[in-house]
Amino acid sequence: MITEELNNEDLKQVEDFWNTHLCGKQFVDAKFPSKEFFELYRNFRYKKTHHLDTYIDWKGAKGKDVLEIGLGIGADGSRWAQNARTYTGVDLTAEAVYATKIHLDHLGLKGHIVQGNAEALVLPSNHFDIVYSHGVLHHTTNIENTFREVNRVLKPKGEFIVMLYSKGSFNYWFRIQFYFRLRLLFEILKNKLGGSSKGDWALHVKNFKQEGWSYLSWNNFPHRCTDGPDCKIANIYWQSEMVKMLENSGFTIEKTKKAHFPIGGHFPKLERFLASFMGFHQIIWARKR
Ligand SMILES: C[S@@+](CC[C@H](N)C(=O)[O-])C[C@H]1O[C@@H](n2cnc3c(N)ncnc32)[C@H](O)[C@@H]1O
């Protein structure tokens, strides 16, 4: 990898997890990495995460240099690469770099896609007009390092668009802390009585057996309830915490929006309305001071 060696075991775990769980791959039933696979993935993504095409001004990247941090399968990357003067993508994992490169190739788009760590970017200072990071930086070991790095690589007055998981949400309080917790207690009891669990619940039960009651603690359990039970770092923040960290890292907040209410993208208008005050995805537009 092209990043500075951090000698950070936790970050290695993050890398290992995402290398073996390419973000979103499980939702598409087609051969990876075929052209059909990427097409189906984009259809799925912009149906389920429909607010992205409404809230993110991809076309506003015309004539601009864009950096994306945390690539997954490279769908948003293809949106930026279609519009920007230059598109650079960085991800901690070889797998996301591979997927994004092939995705862009299939669409005939250009990008400079590299493996690297957002906490220590090997990229020049004062270079990018826009840095975009969607659903990524809550998974890293030190988010404030990443905000300082983003500030460094942005040009003066450059824009940072970031999505992080929100504590002020239905998903956090009702689905995770209440329903998932009760459901896991039920699954544990079922297993004790000789039954078995399926899918993610089987993984939760396995983790509970290994880690004991601390697995279900107020602070630990939510980490394991967003991107799968084996994803160990998934921080969920209050908006005020995100704003404070960004301001401390040299940004001014310009706009915030909440999105994503977990009803599967079937009723986009209702979902957007509910998400506007209880959504799990907190999007923040910040500007380098
Ligand atoms: C949940 S996926 C999100 C991907 C994509 N942005 C999306 O919305 O589908 C998280 C991605 O962030 C990457 N990631 C996590 N920590 C990172 C870090 N410190 N530096 C760079 N990438 C990181 C992971 O490798 C993974 O590909």
Side-chain angles (χ1 to χ4, degrees):
M1 83 157 44
I2 64 146
T3 186
E4 285 167 20
E5 261 334 305
L6 277 189
N7 198 15
N8 179 335
E9 261 315 301
D10 290 339
L11 202 63
K12 181 82 186 80
Q13 267 190 14
V14 176
E15 182 182 352
D16 289 347
F17 175 80
W18 289 109
N19 238 339
T20 47
H21 297 77
L22 179 63
C23 195
K25 192 177 173 190
Q26 70 276 26
F27 298 119
V28 177
D29 188 15
K31 194 167 179 289
F32 176 79
S34 63
K35 194 169 181 172
E36 187 201 1
F37 172 89
F38 291 111
E39 212 170 292
L40 288 173
Y41 178 70
R42 286 196 309 281
N43 290 344
F44 161 80
R45 181 173 181 83
Y46 298 110
K47 183 160 185 258
K48 186 162 182 237
T49 325
H50 45 82
H51 55 267
L52 282 177
D53 279 343
T54 312
Y55 294 162
I56 305 299
D57 181 15
W58 315 109
K59 292 202 165 86
K62 279 247 161 350
K64 295 188 175 165
D65 298 313
V66 174
L67 167 67
E68 180 176 13
I69 299 176
L71 308 172
I73 290 174
D76 293 356
S78 73
R79 294 282 206 262
W80 289 118
Q82 245 158 29
N83 292 289
R85 174 171 54 204
T86 66
Y87 168 69
T88 304
V90 174
D91 196 284
L92 199 54
T93 64
E95 191 64 5
V97 166
Y98 171 72
T100 303
K101 276 184 178 166
I102 299 186
H103 196 159
L104 296 188
D105 276 356
H106 278 312
L107 294 171
L109 296 167
K110 286 201 169 56
H112 175 54
I113 313 299
V114 289
Q115 194 179 356
N117 170 21
E119 294 187 35
L121 290 168
V122 183
L123 291 169
S125 302
N126 301 313
H127 184 79
F128 295 98
D129 299 288
I130 299 174
V131 176
Y132 171 80
S133 188
H134 182 272
V136 173
L137 300 177
H138 41 233
H139 294 301
T140 199
T141 52
N142 188 327
I143 192 168
E144 288 182 276
N145 282 346
T146 72
F147 287 170
R148 280 190 287 273
E149 277 295 81
V150 170
N151 194 274
R152 179 182 68 74
V153 302
L154 273 172
K155 288 177 187 164
K157 304 285 173 214
E159 186 180 32
F160 182 27
I161 308 168
V162 60
M163 185 285 272
L164 300 170
Y165 291 151
S166 164
K167 227 174 221 184
S169 61
F170 172 87
N171 198 30
Y172 177 75
W173 291 101
F174 183 76
R175 199 156 160 262
I176 296 178
Q177 293 289 32
F178 179 68
Y179 167 67
F180 278 18
R181 190 179 296 281
L182 266 187
R183 174 75 190 262
L184 180 52
L185 288 170
F186 168 76
E187 296 289 335
I188 292 166
L189 185 65
K190 192 164 93 182
N191 278 264
K192 281 224 182 296
L193 297 175
S196 63
S197 304
K198 290 202 177 95
D200 276 358
W201 294 110
L203 293 177
H204 278 304
V205 170
K206 174 203 78 176
N207 290 343
F208 171 77
K209 283 184 182 153
Q210 280 167 3
E211 295 176 34
W213 287 104
S214 66
Y215 183 71
L216 265 160
S217 78
W218 190 261
N219 288 331
N220 179 59
F221 190 52
H223 284 276
R224 319 301 281 269
C225 294
T226 64
D227 295 73
D230 289 335
C231 175
K232 290 195 175 157
I233 303 183
N235 287 293
I236 305 175
Y237 300 101
W238 289 111
Q239 181 176 322
S240 56
E241 294 174 288
M242 305 178 204
V243 165
K244 196 167 164 210
M245 288 190 288
L246 284 162
E247 286 178 346
N248 287 343
S249 309
F251 290 98
T252 303
I253 308 304
E254 295 209 320
K255 188 168 76 172
T256 66
K257 262 192 193 297
K258 274 189 182 165
H260 184 70
F261 193 83
I263 49 177
H266 300 300
F267 307 99
K269 280 199 179 135
L270 174 65
E271 192 179 310
R272 273 212 278 280
F273 168 71
L274 293 170
S276 63
F277 49 98
M278 287 187 285
F280 193 50
H281 290 189
Q282 178 74 64
I283 311 177
I284 299 184
W285 288 258
R287 200 160 290 279
K288 178 171 173 171
R289 279 201 293 271

